[in-house]
Amino acid sequence: IVLYSTTDGTLLHVFEGPTDVEWARFHPKGGTVLLVGSIADGTIWMYHTPSKQCLQVFVGHEGGVTDGVFTMDGKSIVSCGQDGTVRVWAPKKGVCKHVFRLMDVNGSG
């Protein structure tokens, strides 16, 4: 994961993590926490950009993570995956708080 300056395009840092990032989002309060999702291994990584440290790796999706976002208050993360689930995560603890299983086309779920 390569982070560049939005003002002049200079390289800020190269973070260790997944090489197959599907999406990236910044925390809504301050923009110093970066969230990225992996399409290959189903993980979500959370980084603190000023300290250049990985804060959490969220594991639980049984397929690629296709999208994710912090809630507006920044206290939860919501992700969706190829496994047909939407998951709600606790960022500070790194645990999944709830799993919503989406129904398939046949109505089972």
Side-chain angles (χ1 to χ4, degrees):
I1 297 142
V2 182
L3 187 63
Y4 293 95
S5 168
T6 58
T7 55
D8 62 10
T10 58
L11 175 69
L12 296 176
H13 188 67
V14 178
F15 292 94
E16 289 187 36
T19 57
D20 58 334
V21 173
E22 178 74 5
W23 53 269
R25 303 281 189 281
F26 277 101
H27 193 280
K29 309 245 183 209
T32 60
V33 176
L34 176 64
L35 193 67
V36 299
S38 170
I39 196 69
D41 67 5
T43 58
I44 301 166
W45 296 60
M46 186 171 67
Y47 300 93
H48 184 248
T49 57
S51 67
K52 302 175 179 155
Q53 297 294 313
C54 178
L55 300 174
Q56 295 284 358
V57 178
F58 303 90
V59 178
H61 281 286
E62 298 172 12
V65 183
T66 55
D67 205 357
V69 66
F70 285 101
T71 56
M72 291 303 293
D73 63 5
K75 295 181 180 180
S76 295
I77 295 166
V78 179
S79 64
C80 58
Q82 293 175 324
D83 59 359
T85 64
V86 173
R87 295 173 185 261
V88 180
W89 305 88
K92 289 184 179 180
K93 295 182 180 181
V95 297
C96 184
K97 299 190 305 185
H98 194 78
V99 178
F100 297 93
R101 300 202 184 279
L102 304 178
M103 295 175 65
D104 66 18
V105 292
N106 296 322
S108 63

